[in-house]
Amino acid sequence: MRKSVDTRAARAVLGTFIVIGALILVLALVNDPDASLATAALPATLLVAGFPVIGVLVMTSEWGQRTAVTTFRLVPRRSRVLAAKVAAALVVSLATVTVLLVVCLSITAVALAARGGSVTAAGVGEEIRLAYVSVLTATLFGLAWGALLRSTPVALVFTIVASLVADLALRVALGDVARWFTSETSATWLLGEESLSLAAVTSAGIWYVVPLVVGCWLQTRWEVR
């Protein structure tokens, strides 16, 4: 946990989520006269695409900074280190989205009260649930590919760009069969927007389970220099 936030770059990444989220919310409130308290969850929903970055940085930073040699020497059982990385990344993401939601709920409540409108909690619970599930899913995605690719730049490019390109290419090449292989299928299932199916399980295995398991297995065997 400490190593996840003890650099300027890490703190800048986490702070950026809060600042950009607040700006998005202000723009939404200014341009939507019918905004409600549920609007506070909008920034978290829009920024979810950036949360794989946290998973990637937590899983790959030590290899780039060459501090893995110290970590694995202090804790020879690398599986314990990797499990701690997964837990730390998920906790950091949850903490970040919690702070973001608190800030946005406060801004929204003040803005609605200033307009003289009613501040009701209708629909807020569902929006917050979706925000948390989306963030956890996105962070796990970054962890999985960060573990497998190990390189921070390569993993960042893949999680942000390549996965979308892969989904598009699969849909063009395979048509309806593509849903068995695209990351979108497992994402919609994890968000509760689609019922459990064999296609969703297959997609989750390809995009989450296999890269995380294989990546962690490889990291326990990579030579540390």
Side-chain angles (χ1 to χ4, degrees), residues 13 17 49-61 138 141-143 145-147 149-164:
V13 169
F17 283 110
F51 275 89
V53 173
I54 295 177
V56 168
L57 291 177
V58 169
M59 192 61 78
T60 64
S61 59
F141 188 78
L143 284 166
W145 289 99
L149 299 174
R150 194 174 60 165
S151 168
T152 301
V154 174
L156 286 176
V157 170
F158 184 88
T159 55
I160 296 175
V161 178
S163 59
L164 299 177

Side-chain angles (χ1 to χ4, degrees), residues 9-31:
R11 291 192 291 269
V13 169
L14 298 178
T16 298
F17 283 110
I18 309 302
V19 174
I20 294 179
L23 291 175
I24 291 173
L25 177 63
V26 170
L27 290 174
L29 293 173
V30 169
N31 292 284

